[in-house]
Amino acid sequence: MPFANVHIIEHPVIQTKLTELRDYTADHRKFRTLLDEIAGLMVYEVTRDWPTMPKPIQTPLEKTIGHVLARPVTLVPILRAGLGMADGVLKLLPDARLGHLGVYRNETTLEPVAYYQKLPPDVADTEVLLIDPMLATGGSGTAAISFLKKAGVKHMRFVCLVAAPEGIQMLHAHHPEVPIYCAAVDRQLNEKAYILPGLGDAGDRLFGT
Ligand code: PRP
Ligand code: URA
């Protein structure tokens, strides 16, 4: 049953890299490279319908009207694992500013614990991409979106690699208007709220901790 406002990017190159990333034999070096590459590839689809505005320019031959992004872009990784997607996205959107939201799951209660927030001052009117490879219970993503809304953000998209049905349901129970972009919707969470089949602990695999 498809989820409303969820975009699954099933590009064959992304799926190939995601399969390599899931494989437990990928060490932190390979994991980092793959996460960076997949994030960059996802940007095309995630930004496909962003608004543009006309921009008059002068080519070497004559005046013409080009088109550029209508709003500045802010990239907001959820720490830690979201950092692994930031450079890949920035390669395509090099003018983006970066905000950071530190959120981790309490391993016992599974509740999100917010420990750091820093956003660019003009974030409210920008196009925000909130990035985190994993959407599991949805607690971290939901808390991050609530924080961005309090900061006045009006245009945002949540970009992850692997989403669990439980996480999609929680995120959209609180923030139904925020589109979710992912490379896969996996089967379910296990008893410790890890995604199955998933890819394990994204932060630990990325940073080798
Ligand atoms: C991971 C992941 C998400 C969160 C998803 O972070 O990067 O932020 O779990 O789980 P949820 O949807 O159930 O909230 P983690 O809490 O492991 O923190 P870390 O990146 O600092 O290791
Ligand atoms: N966080 C992760 O890094 N992986 C999961 O499977 C769930 C939450």
Side-chain angles (χ1 to χ4, degrees):
M1 166 92 166
F3 292 96
N5 217 6
V6 175
H7 306 262
I8 307 170
I9 305 175
E10 289 177 323
H11 191 287
V13 176
I14 293 178
Q15 294 304 319
T16 301
K17 290 181 186 293
L18 177 60
T19 301
E20 290 181 58
L21 188 85
R22 287 183 190 274
D23 191 322
Y24 81 100
T25 64
D27 63 8
H28 58 275
R29 177 177 174 170
K30 187 168 182 190
F31 193 92
R32 198 175 296 151
T33 303
L34 286 165
L35 185 56
D36 177 82
E37 290 172 352
I38 296 170
L41 288 167
M42 289 179 76
V43 172
Y44 286 101
E45 285 304 323
V46 173
T47 60
R48 180 179 282 279
D49 58 349
W50 268 359
T52 57
M53 62 181 181
K55 181 179 179 183
I57 53 159
Q58 169 86 52
T59 76
L61 300 174
E62 63 177 20
K63 289 185 195 306
T64 187
I65 307 288
H67 291 88
V68 296
L69 293 178
R71 288 186 275 266
V73 179
T74 307
L75 193 56
V76 182
I78 299 179
L79 309 182
R80 293 177 297 164
L83 284 175
M85 299 171 71
D87 280 348
V89 177
L90 282 172
K91 278 183 204 127
L92 278 295
L93 298 168
D95 291 325
R97 289 175 190 259
L98 252 88
H100 293 87
L101 295 181
V103 186
Y104 70 87
R105 301 197 304 185
N106 178 301
E107 282 181 13
T108 314
T109 64
L110 301 178
E111 290 296 317
V113 181
Y115 60 91
Y116 184 78
Q117 301 93 19
K118 191 80 174 177
L119 298 176
D122 64 351
V123 70
D125 296 314
T126 66
E127 204 79 64
V128 171
L129 293 181
L130 179 62
I131 53 175
D132 188 330
M134 310 306 278
L135 177 62
T137 64
S140 305
T142 300
I145 292 171
S146 297
F147 185 83
L148 291 172
K149 283 186 175 174
K150 277 201 196 107
V153 172
K154 294 177 272 302
H155 313 283
M156 72 175 108
R157 296 175 178 201
F158 184 85
V159 186
C160 60
L161 254 56
V162 181
E166 295 90 331
I168 293 172
Q169 271 151 12
M170 183 196 281
L171 205 91
H172 275 165
H174 292 85
H175 307 295
E177 77 290 3
V178 176
I180 298 171
Y181 289 80
C182 62
V185 176
D186 276 9
R187 194 175 71 248
Q188 65 183 100
L189 299 179
N190 71 8
E191 66 290 349
K192 290 188 174 164
Y194 276 87
I195 301 175
L196 296 175
L199 50 77
D201 189 305
D204 283 350
R205 292 195 65 191
L206 176 67
F207 294 110
T209 50

mmCIF file of all heavy atoms in Angstrom, residues 176-200:
data_model
loop_
_atom_site.group_PDB
_atom_site.id
_atom_site.type_symbol
_atom_site.label_atom_id
_atom_site.label_comp_id
_atom_site.label_asym_id
_atom_site.label_seq_id
_atom_site.Cartn_x
_atom_site.Cartn_y
_atom_site.Cartn_z
ATOM 1 N N PRO A 176 2.120 15.992 8.215
ATOM 2 C CA PRO A 176 1.701 15.330 6.967
ATOM 3 C C PRO A 176 2.095 16.081 5.706
ATOM 4 O O PRO A 176 2.199 15.487 4.636
ATOM 5 C CB PRO A 176 0.170 15.272 7.109
ATOM 6 C CG PRO A 176 -0.184 16.270 8.155
ATOM 7 C CD PRO A 176 0.985 16.384 9.061
ATOM 8 N N GLU A 177 2.326 17.385 5.830
ATOM 9 C CA GLU A 177 2.608 18.186 4.630
ATOM 10 C C GLU A 177 4.082 18.138 4.217
ATOM 11 O O GLU A 177 4.439 18.647 3.158
ATOM 12 C CB GLU A 177 2.173 19.649 4.867
ATOM 13 C CG GLU A 177 3.112 20.497 5.723
ATOM 14 C CD GLU A 177 3.147 20.120 7.218
ATOM 15 O OE1 GLU A 177 2.487 19.149 7.626
ATOM 16 O OE2 GLU A 177 3.871 20.802 7.952
ATOM 17 N N VAL A 178 4.924 17.544 5.056
ATOM 18 C CA VAL A 178 6.362 17.496 4.729
ATOM 19 C C VAL A 178 6.645 16.242 3.886
ATOM 20 O O VAL A 178 6.500 15.117 4.375
ATOM 21 C CB VAL A 178 7.230 17.492 6.009
ATOM 22 C CG1 VAL A 178 8.709 17.346 5.655
ATOM 23 C CG2 VAL A 178 6.992 18.763 6.821
ATOM 24 N N PRO A 179 7.067 16.432 2.637
ATOM 25 C CA PRO A 179 7.326 15.259 1.801
ATOM 26 C C PRO A 179 8.541 14.483 2.287
ATOM 27 O O PRO A 179 9.521 15.067 2.755
ATOM 28 C CB PRO A 179 7.606 15.853 0.408
ATOM 29 C CG PRO A 179 7.337 17.295 0.492
ATOM 30 C CD PRO A 179 7.322 17.697 1.935
ATOM 31 N N ILE A 180 8.443 13.170 2.193
ATOM 32 C CA ILE A 180 9.567 12.292 2.528
ATOM 33 C C ILE A 180 10.129 11.733 1.228
ATOM 34 O O ILE A 180 9.372 11.205 0.393
ATOM 35 C CB ILE A 180 9.108 11.130 3.431
ATOM 36 C CG1 ILE A 180 8.561 11.653 4.755
ATOM 37 C CG2 ILE A 180 10.255 10.130 3.663
ATOM 38 C CD1 ILE A 180 7.895 10.584 5.622
ATOM 39 N N TYR A 181 11.445 11.854 1.056
ATOM 40 C CA TYR A 181 12.136 11.244 -0.080
ATOM 41 C C TYR A 181 13.069 10.174 0.468
ATOM 42 O O TYR A 181 13.834 10.439 1.400
ATOM 43 C CB TYR A 181 12.947 12.297 -0.850
ATOM 44 C CG TYR A 181 12.083 13.264 -1.611
ATOM 45 C CD1 TYR A 181 11.476 14.337 -0.968
ATOM 46 C CD2 TYR A 181 11.857 13.088 -2.972
ATOM 47 C CE1 TYR A 181 10.652 15.210 -1.670
ATOM 48 C CE2 TYR A 181 11.044 13.965 -3.681
ATOM 49 C CZ TYR A 181 10.452 15.017 -3.021
ATOM 50 O OH TYR A 181 9.640 15.872 -3.716
ATOM 51 N N CYS A 182 13.004 8.980 -0.099
ATOM 52 C CA CYS A 182 13.885 7.911 0.370
ATOM 53 C C CYS A 182 14.268 7.023 -0.806
ATOM 54 O O CYS A 182 13.673 7.106 -1.885
ATOM 55 C CB CYS A 182 13.202 7.097 1.466
ATOM 56 S SG CYS A 182 11.699 6.271 0.936
ATOM 57 N N ALA A 183 15.270 6.173 -0.570
ATOM 58 C CA ALA A 183 15.665 5.221 -1.612
ATOM 59 C C ALA A 183 14.973 3.878 -1.399
ATOM 60 O O ALA A 183 14.947 3.059 -2.319
ATOM 61 C CB ALA A 183 17.184 5.046 -1.608
ATOM 62 N N ALA A 184 14.451 3.634 -0.200
ATOM 63 C CA ALA A 184 13.751 2.375 0.066
ATOM 64 C C ALA A 184 12.848 2.526 1.291
ATOM 65 O O ALA A 184 13.196 3.235 2.240
ATOM 66 C CB ALA A 184 14.763 1.257 0.336
ATOM 67 N N VAL A 185 11.694 1.851 1.232
ATOM 68 C CA VAL A 185 10.868 1.663 2.431
ATOM 69 C C VAL A 185 11.043 0.199 2.826
ATOM 70 O O VAL A 185 10.681 -0.702 2.072
ATOM 71 C CB VAL A 185 9.386 1.977 2.162
ATOM 72 C CG1 VAL A 185 8.556 1.683 3.411
ATOM 73 C CG2 VAL A 185 9.205 3.444 1.742
ATOM 74 N N ASP A 186 11.648 -0.011 3.987
ATOM 75 C CA ASP A 186 11.931 -1.384 4.426
ATOM 76 C C ASP A 186 10.730 -2.005 5.134
ATOM 77 O O ASP A 186 9.684 -1.373 5.268
ATOM 78 C CB ASP A 186 13.172 -1.394 5.314
ATOM 79 C CG ASP A 186 14.454 -1.450 4.476
ATOM 80 O OD1 ASP A 186 14.361 -1.315 3.244
ATOM 81 O OD2 ASP A 186 15.540 -1.634 5.058
ATOM 82 N N ARG A 187 10.922 -3.264 5.589
ATOM 83 C CA ARG A 187 9.773 -4.048 6.059
ATOM 84 C C ARG A 187 9.217 -3.567 7.396
ATOM 85 O O ARG A 187 8.024 -3.340 7.540
ATOM 86 C CB ARG A 187 10.219 -5.512 6.169
ATOM 87 C CG ARG A 187 9.094 -6.496 6.311
ATOM 88 C CD ARG A 187 9.613 -7.922 6.296
ATOM 89 N NE ARG A 187 10.342 -8.274 7.497
ATOM 90 C CZ ARG A 187 11.656 -8.522 7.546
ATOM 91 N NH1 ARG A 187 12.396 -8.464 6.465
ATOM 92 N NH2 ARG A 187 12.239 -8.828 8.692
ATOM 93 N N GLN A 188 10.103 -3.439 8.407
ATOM 94 C CA GLN A 188 9.605 -3.190 9.767
ATOM 95 C C GLN A 188 10.771 -2.865 10.702
ATOM 96 O O GLN A 188 11.937 -2.975 10.310
ATOM 97 C CB GLN A 188 8.909 -4.441 10.304
ATOM 98 C CG GLN A 188 9.878 -5.599 10.477
ATOM 99 C CD GLN A 188 9.190 -6.872 10.945
ATOM 100 O OE1 GLN A 188 8.909 -7.754 10.158
ATOM 101 N NE2 GLN A 188 8.934 -6.948 12.250
ATOM 102 N N LEU A 189 10.436 -2.526 11.921
ATOM 103 C CA LEU A 189 11.441 -2.353 12.977
ATOM 104 C C LEU A 189 11.557 -3.641 13.775
ATOM 105 O O LEU A 189 10.561 -4.369 13.928
ATOM 106 C CB LEU A 189 11.027 -1.221 13.922
ATOM 107 C CG LEU A 189 10.873 0.174 13.313
ATOM 108 C CD1 LEU A 189 10.435 1.160 14.390
ATOM 109 C CD2 LEU A 189 12.164 0.625 12.653
ATOM 110 N N ASN A 190 12.758 -3.894 14.338
ATOM 111 C CA ASN A 190 12.871 -5.035 15.254
ATOM 112 C C ASN A 190 12.549 -4.572 16.678
ATOM 113 O O ASN A 190 12.137 -3.412 16.888
ATOM 114 C CB ASN A 190 14.244 -5.726 15.128
ATOM 115 C CG ASN A 190 15.390 -4.892 15.705
ATOM 116 O OD1 ASN A 190 15.159 -3.859 16.333
ATOM 117 N ND2 ASN A 190 16.602 -5.343 15.496
ATOM 118 N N GLU A 191 12.758 -5.439 17.658
ATOM 119 C CA GLU A 191 12.347 -5.111 19.031
ATOM 120 C C GLU A 191 13.187 -3.983 19.627
ATOM 121 O O GLU A 191 12.787 -3.358 20.607
ATOM 122 C CB GLU A 191 12.363 -6.365 19.925
ATOM 123 C CG GLU A 191 13.720 -7.006 20.187
ATOM 124 C CD GLU A 191 14.360 -7.695 18.979
ATOM 125 O OE1 GLU A 191 13.685 -7.874 17.945
ATOM 126 O OE2 GLU A 191 15.554 -8.036 19.074
ATOM 127 N N LYS A 192 14.351 -3.691 19.013
ATOM 128 C CA LYS A 192 15.166 -2.566 19.487
ATOM 129 C C LYS A 192 15.009 -1.347 18.577
ATOM 130 O O LYS A 192 15.820 -0.422 18.606
ATOM 131 C CB LYS A 192 16.636 -2.977 19.541
ATOM 132 C CG LYS A 192 16.923 -3.986 20.641
ATOM 133 C CD LYS A 192 18.400 -4.214 20.773
ATOM 134 C CE LYS A 192 18.676 -5.101 21.977
ATOM 135 N NZ LYS A 192 20.014 -5.670 21.955
ATOM 136 N N ALA A 193 13.991 -1.395 17.738
ATOM 137 C CA ALA A 193 13.677 -0.299 16.810
ATOM 138 C C ALA A 193 14.761 -0.067 15.769
ATOM 139 O O ALA A 193 14.967 1.053 15.310
ATOM 140 C CB ALA A 193 13.349 0.986 17.571
ATOM 141 N N TYR A 194 15.463 -1.136 15.389
ATOM 142 C CA TYR A 194 16.344 -1.070 14.220
ATOM 143 C C TYR A 194 15.547 -1.496 12.997
ATOM 144 O O TYR A 194 14.670 -2.378 13.087
ATOM 145 C CB TYR A 194 17.581 -1.962 14.398
ATOM 146 C CG TYR A 194 18.657 -1.244 15.176
ATOM 147 C CD1 TYR A 194 18.674 -1.285 16.564
ATOM 148 C CD2 TYR A 194 19.623 -0.479 14.522
ATOM 149 C CE1 TYR A 194 19.631 -0.586 17.285
ATOM 150 C CE2 TYR A 194 20.589 0.216 15.233
ATOM 151 C CZ TYR A 194 20.579 0.160 16.611
ATOM 152 O OH TYR A 194 21.519 0.865 17.315
ATOM 153 N N ILE A 195 15.874 -0.884 11.869
ATOM 154 C CA ILE A 195 15.130 -1.164 10.643
ATOM 155 C C ILE A 195 15.567 -2.509 10.065
ATOM 156 O O ILE A 195 16.759 -2.802 9.991
ATOM 157 C CB ILE A 195 15.353 -0.034 9.609
ATOM 158 C CG1 ILE A 195 14.906 1.319 10.178
ATOM 159 C CG2 ILE A 195 14.623 -0.342 8.308
ATOM 160 C CD1 ILE A 195 15.206 2.516 9.282
ATOM 161 N N LEU A 196 14.563 -3.322 9.643
ATOM 162 C CA LEU A 196 14.813 -4.611 8.982
ATOM 163 C C LEU A 196 14.343 -4.554 7.541
ATOM 164 O O LEU A 196 13.214 -4.102 7.309
ATOM 165 C CB LEU A 196 14.060 -5.727 9.709
ATOM 166 C CG LEU A 196 14.488 -6.012 11.151
ATOM 167 C CD1 LEU A 196 13.564 -7.053 11.779
ATOM 168 C CD2 LEU A 196 15.929 -6.476 11.211
ATOM 169 N N PRO A 197 15.136 -4.963 6.537
ATOM 170 C CA PRO A 197 16.505 -5.442 6.702
ATOM 171 C C PRO A 197 17.494 -4.331 7.049
ATOM 172 O O PRO A 197 18.511 -4.610 7.654
ATOM 173 C CB PRO A 197 16.837 -6.073 5.345
ATOM 174 C CG PRO A 197 15.907 -5.416 4.373
ATOM 175 C CD PRO A 197 14.659 -5.076 5.142
ATOM 176 N N GLY A 198 17.245 -3.106 6.664
ATOM 177 C CA GLY A 198 18.040 -1.961 7.104
ATOM 178 C C GLY A 198 19.489 -2.008 6.689
ATOM 179 O O GLY A 198 19.870 -2.649 5.694
ATOM 180 N N LEU A 199 20.303 -1.306 7.455
ATOM 181 C CA LEU A 199 21.751 -1.315 7.211
ATOM 182 C C LEU A 199 22.532 -1.216 8.509
ATOM 183 O O LEU A 199 23.722 -0.945 8.508
ATOM 184 C CB LEU A 199 22.146 -0.205 6.221
ATOM 185 C CG LEU A 199 21.641 1.222 6.463
ATOM 186 C CD1 LEU A 199 22.419 1.913 7.540
ATOM 187 C CD2 LEU A 199 21.691 2.010 5.160
ATOM 188 N N GLY A 200 21.825 -1.428 9.625
ATOM 189 C CA GLY A 200 22.497 -1.353 10.921
ATOM 190 C C GLY A 200 22.471 0.060 11.466
ATOM 191 O O GLY A 200 21.611 0.864 11.106
#
